[in-house]
């Protein structure tokens, strides 16, 4: 088990570091990445660590001028709208991601649990570039995707090159698994996902196959996309809480692992409600090998630290008991 | 066919009216409601009209101080957090919704197509009251729902009374159908929906059964909830674009009608892409009786009026051809 956004604003230690350092500054300073990444694994009994970074970090290395606004997300100085804008995106020079390489090497030397590397998925990255930031409707992204398929393809080709390079770098530095966060792909109709995103996700995941590390593929609102997300070449598919875990697993296929899927908002409720929700996830996982307990999306700011800690202990306690029961 | 939010900011005539009148002011002035509601049916070949109003209008009549911020949505002066806050919500005096009664009577006298009345669903209304406005995470709403089930039940009891009263008033005034907009219910895990929302939706829809008008039940992100939304007592279940229409219909049950489900963002794309997306919806409806062509959510500001018009003509043309083909 581990938690999406397990290092973040819900932690007082993280907020203290953020008082002195911007998000991009932390991401680009190996010592700070290490400090922040280690916080949750030092405090809670987690089975994996995930490098503290941002999905826009490799995109910035393509020559995109961007900022991360606290509480808002990425803000792109000049949103991308034309083929010429796409042509200006250059290939990533791995030297420009040297801080990420260094951070992962430092982390792996410290960690007693596996480290997960990650990158953004093609739809999600494209949407930030086209919308200029986060969006409720993705109207500009979808208009370009449907109306200018050649420009869309050129953009996703370049983003895929970057994602592959960034993930290969992280594994070379010591990451034991990778997660492809196509967080907003669930905003698409299934047919649009299949035609306009899946080919690139498939390319990304297949070009990582030779690394021999588990590939996790995740997004929210993906109930109808789970089967395709697995077929793209993932070993593990993450699901949000909107779909029952056993239904999700059936759609993903029992030959693959699943990750999820407690509603992170439940962590604001009293412990009894958290426990009941965790019990439901575990009951639906039914002790099958290949369930990675996680939330359905990132831990939210304001989440009680004590609840995160107690949930970690509870899930480990319950799964240990289940294993004993089998033995 | 009709469109969710068919009267709205995408129309220059609507924007012109909004320059002189606030949203709540329009909702409370029968002449303005009539003018705004008639705009789309005067311009496009739509099969139904839906009264221009806001789901918070009946809630305001319970004594809640609220505003509708353009582009943001409802803003509640004092968000509701405690049992005492719930107790302060009073039953709606129908005289306080007299403007709605008048508007519907005026509209029905003018319209050549049926008029749909509507109200917000229990989760959606509760979420606005608890969060104080719109929310990405619904953390406060879910914490109260899971942590204080008695307060939640008391709140949903009162909201359900109001919704029932508001919908009965609209049918009495001449509405030919009603839609229960539980727009944000899809933010819930299926088990939470079943325990904490479905009993109230079921009560609302069943207490309208004697009116003999079709009851439409709609929300976004409801792929996993469609079956329950039908079982709640709806005659028609609306689906967003994230689920394929034929899959949606299977979950709803072929004994019921379905409404949807073109992605409203597609309307920003060139006509060829709009046509292809409409064709896909129609193909999946397969000419079965009981498909109401609609979008998967409201028409967005900035949508080209010409595309809305052309889509209306295209769908009518295609369905007329299909009927001829059968005959």
């Amino acid at each position: 088990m581990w938690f999406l956004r397990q290092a973040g604003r819900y932690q007082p230690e993280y907020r203290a570091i953020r008082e002195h350092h911007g998000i991009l500054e932390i991401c680009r300073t190996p010592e700070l990445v290490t400090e922040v990444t280690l916080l949750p694994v030092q405090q809670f009994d987690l089975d994996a660590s995930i490098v503290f970074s941002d999905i826009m970090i490799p995109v910035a290395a393509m020559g995109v001028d961007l900022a991360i606004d606290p509480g808002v997300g990425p803000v792109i100085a000049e949103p991308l709208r034309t083929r010429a804008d796409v042509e200006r995106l250059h290939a990533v020079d791995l030297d420009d991601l040297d801080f990420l390489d260094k951070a992962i090497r430092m982390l792996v030397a410290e960690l007693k649990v596996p480290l997960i590397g990650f990158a953004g998925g093609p739809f999600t990255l494209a949407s930030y570039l086209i919308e200029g930031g986060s969006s409720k409707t993705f109207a500009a992204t979808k208009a370009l995707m449907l109306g200018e398929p050649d420009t869309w393809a050129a953009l996703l080709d370049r983003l895929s090159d970057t994602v592959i390079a960034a993930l290969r770098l992280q594994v070379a530095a010591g990451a034991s698994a990778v997660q492809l966060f196509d967080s907003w792909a669930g905003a698409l109709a299934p047919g649009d996902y299949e035609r306009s995103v899946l080919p690139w996700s498939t390319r990304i995941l297949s070009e990582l196959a030779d690394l021999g590390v588990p590939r996790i593929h995740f997004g929210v609102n993906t109930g109808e996309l789970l089967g395709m997300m697995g077929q793209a070449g993932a070993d593990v598919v993450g699901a949000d809480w909107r779909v029952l875990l056993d239904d999700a697993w059936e759609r993903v296929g029992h030959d693959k692992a699943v990750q999820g899927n407690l509603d992170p908002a439940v962590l604001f409720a009293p412990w009894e409600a958290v426990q009941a929700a965790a019990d439901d996830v575990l009951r639906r996982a039914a002790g099958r090998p290949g369930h990675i307990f996680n939330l359905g999306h990132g831990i939210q700011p304001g989440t009680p630290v004590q609840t995160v800690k107690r949930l970690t202990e509870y899930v480990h306690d319950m799964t240990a008991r289940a294993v004993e029961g089998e033995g």
Side-chain angles (χ1 to χ4, degrees), chain A residues 37-38 41 48-50 104 106-115:
Chain A
T37 303
L38 290 176
V41 285
S49 181
I50 181 162
I104 289 179
M106 288 175 69
L107 274 167
V108 170
E110 293 273 343
L111 281 165
K112 293 180 185 67
V113 294
L115 180 72

Side-chain angles (χ1 to χ4, degrees), chain A residues 11-311:
Chain A
Q11 297 179 295
E13 299 86 355
Y14 174 82
R15 293 197 302 272
I17 294 167
R18 281 282 290 106
E19 277 179 28
H20 303 286
H21 306 284
I23 295 172
L24 289 177
E25 183 193 352
I26 296 176
C27 293
R28 288 170 174 153
T29 311
E31 293 73 17
L32 290 173
V33 171
T34 303
E35 185 179 351
V36 168
T37 303
L38 290 176
L39 283 175
V41 285
Q42 286 162 344
Q43 293 175 4
F44 317 122
D45 182 23
L46 294 160
D47 299 322
S49 181
I50 181 162
V51 60
F52 184 88
S53 190
D54 190 279
I55 60 168
M56 298 311 285
I57 285 283
V59 177
M62 299 173 81
V64 176
D65 182 9
L66 61 87
I68 310 288
D69 266 21
V72 174
V75 178
I76 313 300
E78 295 177 40
L80 180 156
R81 292 294 164 93
T82 66
R83 183 62 184 255
D85 294 339
V86 173
E87 301 297 337
R88 274 194 293 276
L89 296 174
H90 60 69
V92 168
D93 179 343
L94 287 185
D95 287 347
D96 292 337
L97 294 178
D98 190 48
F99 55 83
L100 184 56
D101 177 88
K102 280 211 173 66
I104 289 179
R105 289 179 196 277
M106 288 175 69
L107 274 167
V108 170
E110 293 273 343
L111 281 165
K112 293 180 185 67
V113 294
L115 180 72
I116 302 168
F118 73 89
F123 178 80
T124 303
L125 295 180
S127 79
Y128 281 120
L129 288 177
I130 296 166
E131 305 287 344
S134 57
S135 171
K136 275 188 191 176
T137 62
F138 301 98
T141 308
K142 291 175 179 179
L144 190 144
M145 180 183 90
L146 297 170
E148 298 178 51
D150 292 347
T151 303
W152 178 257
L155 172 60
L156 264 62
D157 283 345
R158 284 175 193 232
L159 289 172
S160 299
D161 292 343
T162 297
V163 166
I164 292 163
L167 290 173
R168 293 192 74 92
L169 173 146
Q170 292 176 72
V171 174
S176 304
V178 290
Q179 175 154 322
L180 186 64
F181 274 91
D182 216 352
S183 307
W184 311 138
L188 290 172
D192 289 331
Y193 179 82
E194 186 172 15
R195 276 182 298 273
S196 303
V197 179
L198 184 60
W200 287 272
S201 309
T202 303
R203 187 191 141 210
I204 292 167
L205 292 167
S206 65
E207 290 198 25
L208 302 170
D210 65 298
L211 298 176
V213 301
R215 295 155 294 176
I216 313 170
H217 197 184
F218 169 78
V220 292
N221 281 327
T222 56
E224 310 303 318
L225 310 180
L226 292 169
M228 289 189 271
M229 290 174 72
Q231 285 157 24
D235 306 293
V236 186
V237 177
D240 80 359
W241 63 92
R242 290 182 178 86
V243 54
L244 298 171
L245 188 85
D246 41 349
D247 289 344
W249 212 339
E250 209 167 301
R251 294 180 203 173
V252 166
H254 287 125
D255 57 320
K256 294 184 189 292
V258 291
Q259 177 175 286
N261 70 342
L262 191 72
D263 182 351
V266 168
L267 272 57
F268 289 84
W271 171 250
E272 291 64 34
V274 180
Q275 182 179 325
D279 282 343
D280 190 60
V281 171
L282 292 172
R283 187 174 62 75
R284 293 180 185 280
R288 259 193 224 106
H291 173 228
I292 300 169
F293 191 98
N294 204 322
L295 305 177
H297 203 186
I299 301 184
Q300 294 168 17
T303 299
V305 173
Q306 199 48 41
T307 301
V308 177
K309 186 175 173 60
R310 193 162 173 186
L311 176 61

